[in-house]
Every structure is written in C-alpha cells, then in structure tokens.
Amino acid sequence: MLKNSKVTLGIPHNEPVTESVADLLTLAEPLDYKSSQMSMGLSPGAQPAMGKGLMPSPGDEEGRPAWNSKLQYILAQVGFSVGLGNVWRFPYLCQKNGGGAYLVPYFILLILIGIPLFFLELAVGQRIRRGSIGVWNYVYPQLGGIGVSSLMVCGFVGLYYNVIIGWSIFYFFQSFQYPLPWAECPIRVVNGSQAITEPECEKSSATTYFWYRQTLNITSTIEDSGGLNWKMTLSLFAAWLIVCLAVIRGIQSSGKVMYFSSLFPYVVLICFLVRGLMLKGSVDGIAHMFTPKLEKMLEPQVWREAATQVFFALGLGFGGVIAFSSYNKRDNNCHFDAALVSIINFITSILATLVVFAVLGFKANIMNEKCVVENAEKILGYLNTGVLSHELVPPHVNFSHLSAVDYQEIYGVVKTVREDTFDQLGLDPCILEDELNKAVQGTGLAFIAFTEAMTHFPASPFWSVMFFFMLINLGLGSMIGTMTGITTPVLDAFPKIRKEFLCVGCCIVAFFCGLLFVQRSGNYFVTMFDDYSAGLPLTVVVILENISVAWIYDRVPCNMYSC
C-alpha cells in the first residue's frame, strides 16, 4: 500500500486525476500513472529512480515494436479472429438454427454488439499502447485484474487449442498415402489364417474407428487416464514448436508468418468450394443450408447462440485484439479497422458454410445411395422368399439401377400394404433430408464427417493434405494472437525480460501442462475445457471492459487505494 501520498495521508487536494472519456481516443498524451508519485510510493517532490520496471514515458514509447505495414496488422487481426470456429462452429449453428434465417439475427448482432465491442478493444489498445493488464490499469488502477483475467483465459484456451492443431498435424502427415488410412476398416487376422474386418469398425464407420481408436486410442471413461498417447504427444510437441518459432521474435516474426497463415486458408476454401460444386449432391447441401426456417427467428435461443458466436468469432476478451492494436500508431484509423475485420470475419463464415455444406451434401447423397442399395437387397430377399409379393413392385422399377425416387415409391407401397408387420421388415426410409439434418460440429465435423467425404473425392490424398494444412494455418493464426495476449502484458510489466526467453519459457510450460490432453482420456478434458474455460469468464471480462470505459473512467474519484 502507498505510504506517503496526499490521499493516504488524508491531505485535501484539488488536482485532476484523470482525463475525460473522449480524451481516451484522442491524440493527447495519456497520464503515465505508473510513473506518478502515488503509484511508486514516493513522497511529494521526490524524484523516481530509473530502471525499476516503470512504464515507459511517451518519449520512451518510440522504442516500442510496430507493424511493418497496415496490411500486416490487418492480416494479424484477421488471422486471430478467423479460426477453427468459423469452419466448424458457424455452419453447425446455421444448420441448427434455421438455415438462412440464422444469418439475419447473426448479422444484426454483429452490427449492434460485435463491431462496437471490437472497436472498443482496438481503441484502448491503440490509444494506451499497452497489453491487456496495462490498458485497464491505466483506465483505473484497480481494474488491472480484468487484464489478468484475459491473460488467464488465453492460457487455458491456448493449452487445449494447440492440442487440436496437434491432431491436425497428425492427420496432415497421415494424408500422404493412398488410399487414405481412414478409407477402409482394418483387417484382423484370426487363428493365424482367417482374415475378418474389425468388428468395432463395422458397427460404426472407418473414419470414426480411425479417429477414436487409431488416433486418440480413447479410454471408456475420464477416470481411466490410460497413460500418454505417444503419437499425440509428438504431435503436440510439433504444434508448440511451430507456435514458438512463429512468436519468438514478437510481431517482427509473427507478422511475417501472418502473410501466409492468414491468406492460405482462403485459397483452400475457394478451391474446396469450386471442387465441391462439381460434386454430385453439392447443390442439395447448399439449398438445404440456406432454405430459411423463419419460425426459428422467434426463438430466444437462436438469438442467444448468434450473440455468443459473434462474441467468440471476433476474439473479444482474450486480450489478443488489444495486444495487436497496441503496436499501432495512435493516429491509425481504428474505426475502419473494426468494420473491415468484422466484415471479413462474417464473409469467411459464409464461405466456410458454403464449402462445408457442399461437401456434406455430396456425402449425404453417397450415404443415401448406400442406404438405397442395402435396403433394395433386403426387398429382393423378401421377394425371393415370398415374404413380399412381386405385385407390390411397380412395373417400371429396375432393381439393377434403383434410384432414390423409385425406392421411395416401393417403400411407400410396402408400408401401406404391410402396415401391421412393417417394422419387422427392418426397412429404412432413405430420405436425403434426414441425412442432411444430421448436425455435426467441432471435431466430429473435421475429423469424422469431412474426412469421410474426402475419401470419395478423386485424388483424395491431395484434398486431405490441403484441408488439414488449412486447419493448421487457421489454428496457428489464432494461437499467435493468443500467445501475444499472454506475452505482451508480461513484457509491458517486466520490460527487462527478453522476448525470446519469455516465449520459449511459456511454450515449454504450456507443452508440459498440455500433456493432460494427450493422455488416452485427453479428449474428455479437451471437451471440458472447451465448454467451461472460456465462455463465462470471457463474458464477464467483456462486461467489465464496457463498465470500465463507460462508467468508471473519469467518473470514480481517487480514494486511498488508487488515483
């Protein structure tokens, strides 16, 4: 606690202690609170000693790193905000919440909530030129805990987020073979001579088996750790090594990485879209996706999930946005930046949705055709054994080239005639709409549904390599922002620490903490952290950020603890 200031000694004073709210976004120099007598515990008139970890004065800020160009900065913000959630979370929410109708509340909330909050973080970071802790300390010294909270959330999210990058690295290297290792169920040799298909794989699918058994080798419960999965441990090490090399020199190195990691995913998404539109059934997927279910717009749940997605899509509350903008000049047009990055993020989500549902439409057609073939064989068996009469089959139906429409006709006739015993026949309706309605998200979309669809692509290894390399780049862009949200406030508080040592130390500690997620039970912990480590904390952080700027800055007078 401060000992000798006027406030703590109870001496009346009329000195102004803060600037106006409007001045926060102007070009006026900010109050250097850490160099003040009160924050240093000095007596009035005493001169501060240099080299004690003080915040640099405005003159010293000339030495602060800066972006080489405006393009580099924009790509960094885009790379941080556009992440894996745009590829596998937004399409799922769009499908779940009314298709094209979901875009209306999402866009409205993006304008009303997303862009203003994004602008707030850009403005305070650019104006004050500090990381998340220093920014909120400047707004009001007792609010530094907001920045600490952002830093902690970055740490928790970074731990499991890099595990997903590790999974993508594993699949990336597994894709350099033909056929793809998840294209077919493995064969087990029994009694030294008899070869049978793996029973567990037959009950599910080849992609599901490869994901849960050969990749994760998952245990049945979270209590059973099962020990380390060494394949995933090496993949996690590779992921942290890449992140460390990307951020080791601060924005000088990460900014250059962003040129590739931010732009390459767009090249892949456009290639996938063009290729997807050439596939049979892709139009069915896109039409299903954007067919609006307008009644959904009246449900509060749809608006809540749209607001949540806007919130997470822009990376609000993590501190990465503030950290990146703190390396800007104070006269940079952050109004334009906020609108531009937000719109790019929205367009990316739409592009990813088109790609996902073009591919899933193709997959749905493949699965529906498979369903028709399997059930046609059942009907032929019933016809040959006399269970069903040949008179039930329309004369124009050819079982050697049975279409989905013809099967639907036979299915309807049989269901009508054999209404009492129809369930015993075990026939499936094989409706394309049912396949399209099977919602998948997260790892289920990337590592099961999408990989299964790619096995049916011509030149499937090429597309698999492209897809997982895209996921690695999307994850890397977000991880660079997350790590910057951790290192920038630490470097601001302790300027004598070398960036290289701090980055390497953080990555080593994070790797060892991340071993929790590469046990055989690690997927359970990834799901747990994804559900609980960021949602509520980030909501609280952003609410406090708004209260701090709108109601505390320049409104709360000095007290015995702060000024």
Side-chain angles (χ1 to χ4, degrees):
M1 181 179 291
L2 308 181
K3 301 291 184 182
N4 302 316
S5 69
K6 292 180 180 179
V7 174
T8 55
L9 295 174
I11 302 174
H13 65 100
N14 298 315
E15 299 174 2
V17 294
T18 58
E19 303 168 351
S20 67
V21 177
D23 287 341
L24 184 62
L25 304 180
T26 68
L27 300 181
E29 294 298 338
L31 173 66
D32 193 0
Y33 77 92
K34 280 197 174 180
S35 299
S36 68
Q37 295 170 349
M38 295 184 65
S39 63
M40 297 171 60
L42 299 178
S43 302
Q47 296 297 319
M50 300 304 293
K52 299 295 184 182
L54 308 178
M55 289 179 70
S57 65
D60 297 330
E61 289 185 4
E62 297 301 324
R64 187 174 182 81
W67 298 104
N68 292 332
S69 67
K70 180 65 173 282
L71 176 61
Q72 190 179 88
Y73 164 67
I74 293 296
L75 289 178
Q77 290 286 16
V78 169
F80 176 54
S81 65
V82 175
L84 298 175
N86 296 77
V87 174
W88 63 35
R89 179 69 178 167
F90 184 88
Y92 162 75
L93 291 175
C94 198
Q95 178 192 28
K96 174 186 174 185
N97 294 315
Y102 173 75
L103 299 179
V104 176
Y106 182 85
F107 188 74
I108 291 174
L109 293 171
L110 177 67
I111 299 297
L112 296 180
I113 298 177
I115 296 179
L117 291 176
F118 194 62
F119 168 70
L120 168 68
E121 294 202 352
L122 289 180
V124 296
Q126 177 177 307
R127 172 65 185 89
I128 303 172
R129 305 200 76 195
R130 294 290 181 271
S132 55
I133 298 177
V135 158
W136 302 114
N137 266 332
Y138 173 77
V139 170
Y140 193 73
Q142 284 186 300
L143 297 177
I146 298 177
V148 175
S149 300
S150 295
L151 188 148
M152 293 178 65
V153 172
C154 279
F156 284 126
V157 171
L159 287 178
Y160 78 85
Y161 201 89
N162 223 27
V163 174
I164 299 174
I165 299 178
W167 294 341
S168 301
I169 291 173
F170 176 76
Y171 267 78
F172 173 75
F173 285 106
Q174 290 292 315
S175 299
F176 288 96
Q177 50 187 306
Y178 185 82
L180 291 170
W182 53 83
E184 298 175 353
C185 288
I187 303 299
R188 177 193 294 182
V189 178
V190 181
N191 298 327
S193 59
Q194 184 181 3
I196 63 170
T197 303
E198 181 65 44
E200 186 178 2
C201 183
E202 273 192 314
K203 293 178 182 178
S204 54
S205 68
T207 51
T208 303
Y209 181 83
F210 185 86
W211 169 240
Y212 285 110
R213 285 289 172 251
Q214 295 187 308
T215 301
L216 301 179
N217 194 18
I218 197 168
T219 57
S220 56
T221 64
I222 193 173
E223 290 86 1
D224 180 12
S225 70
L228 289 177
N229 181 335
W230 289 106
K231 291 183 291 187
M232 293 302 100
T233 303
L234 292 176
S235 298
L236 179 64
F237 177 79
W240 277 113
L241 180 62
I242 293 171
V243 170
C244 184
L245 293 175
V247 301
I248 193 168
R249 296 296 299 277
I251 63 170
Q252 282 81 4
S253 60
S254 62
K256 294 180 176 63
V257 173
M258 285 297 183
Y259 279 114
F260 182 80
S261 65
S262 297
L263 295 175
F264 179 75
Y266 290 96
V267 175
V268 177
L269 284 174
I270 291 172
C271 290
F272 260 98
L273 180 60
V274 173
R275 184 67 187 92
L277 292 174
M278 297 168 62
L279 297 171
K280 179 183 177 182
S282 61
V283 177
D284 294 328
I286 294 175
H288 174 78
M289 186 62 258
F290 290 103
T291 300
K293 302 177 181 66
L294 297 178
E295 66 279 1
K296 285 278 189 178
M297 290 180 60
L298 302 177
E299 298 179 9
Q301 176 77 2
V302 173
W303 289 81
R304 187 187 69 80
E305 293 193 346
T308 303
Q309 179 62 18
V310 167
F311 180 78
F312 287 109
L314 294 175
L316 301 173
F318 283 94
V321 173
I322 294 175
F324 279 151
S325 65
S326 72
Y327 298 112
N328 269 332
K329 295 180 179 179
R330 287 199 176 101
D331 60 354
N332 176 61
N333 186 354
C334 54
H335 294 85
F336 173 78
D337 298 344
L340 178 63
V341 174
S342 300
I343 296 303
I344 290 175
N345 190 290
F346 178 67
I347 293 174
T348 305
S349 297
I350 298 298
L351 177 61
T353 301
L354 287 171
V355 171
V356 166
F357 281 90
V359 173
L360 292 185
F362 166 70
K363 175 179 177 287
N365 271 267
I366 294 291
M367 301 306 295
N368 198 56
E369 289 176 359
K370 182 179 178 182
C371 176
V372 168
V373 170
E374 291 176 350
N375 284 272
E377 291 177 354
K378 290 182 183 179
I379 292 175
L380 278 174
Y382 293 142
L383 291 173
N384 294 332
T385 56
V387 176
L388 295 177
S389 171
H390 286 273
E391 296 178 356
L392 298 178
V393 180
H396 65 275
V397 171
N398 182 359
F399 273 92
S400 60
H401 298 88
L402 188 64
S403 67
V405 175
D406 291 339
Y407 174 75
Q408 289 296 322
E409 187 176 354
I410 299 174
Y411 180 86
V413 171
V414 174
K415 187 174 183 179
T416 302
V417 174
R418 300 291 298 271
E419 184 176 359
D420 295 336
T421 59
F422 179 77
D423 292 339
Q424 300 175 7
L425 299 177
L427 298 178
D428 298 315
C430 297
I431 301 173
L432 181 62
E433 190 79 7
D434 292 343
E435 287 290 339
L436 291 170
N437 281 328
K438 291 180 179 178
V440 287
Q441 65 164 324
T443 55
L445 174 64
F447 299 104
I448 298 178
F450 225 82
T451 52
E452 184 172 352
M454 285 188 294
T455 59
H456 301 289
F457 281 22
S460 55
F462 169 78
W463 294 104
S464 183
V465 167
M466 292 281 282
F467 176 72
F468 288 108
F469 194 40
M470 178 191 72
L471 290 187
I472 292 170
N473 278 275
L474 284 172
L476 180 61
S478 297
M479 275 302 300
I480 288 174
T482 300
M483 289 297 295
T484 304
I486 295 173
T487 58
T488 297
V490 174
L491 290 171
D492 288 341
F494 305 99
K496 289 188 175 181
I497 298 179
R498 292 187 60 180
K499 295 176 186 175
E500 295 86 348
F501 293 161
L502 177 62
C503 291
V504 171
C506 287
C507 291
I508 291 175
V509 171
F511 168 72
F512 283 105
C513 292
L515 295 179
L516 171 70
F517 304 101
V518 291
Q519 302 175 98
R520 289 180 57 198
S521 61
N523 191 47
Y524 300 117
F525 291 100
V526 170
T527 303
M528 185 196 315
F529 270 65
D530 189 33
D531 289 340
Y532 299 110
S533 68
L536 181 59
L538 285 181
T539 303
V540 174
V541 166
V542 172
I543 290 173
L544 291 177
E545 287 180 356
N546 278 276
I547 294 174
S548 301
V549 173
W551 298 102
I552 296 180
Y553 186 81
D554 198 34
R555 291 173 183 260
V556 179
C558 287
N559 55 43
M560 65 182 298
Y561 300 107
S562 59
C563 144

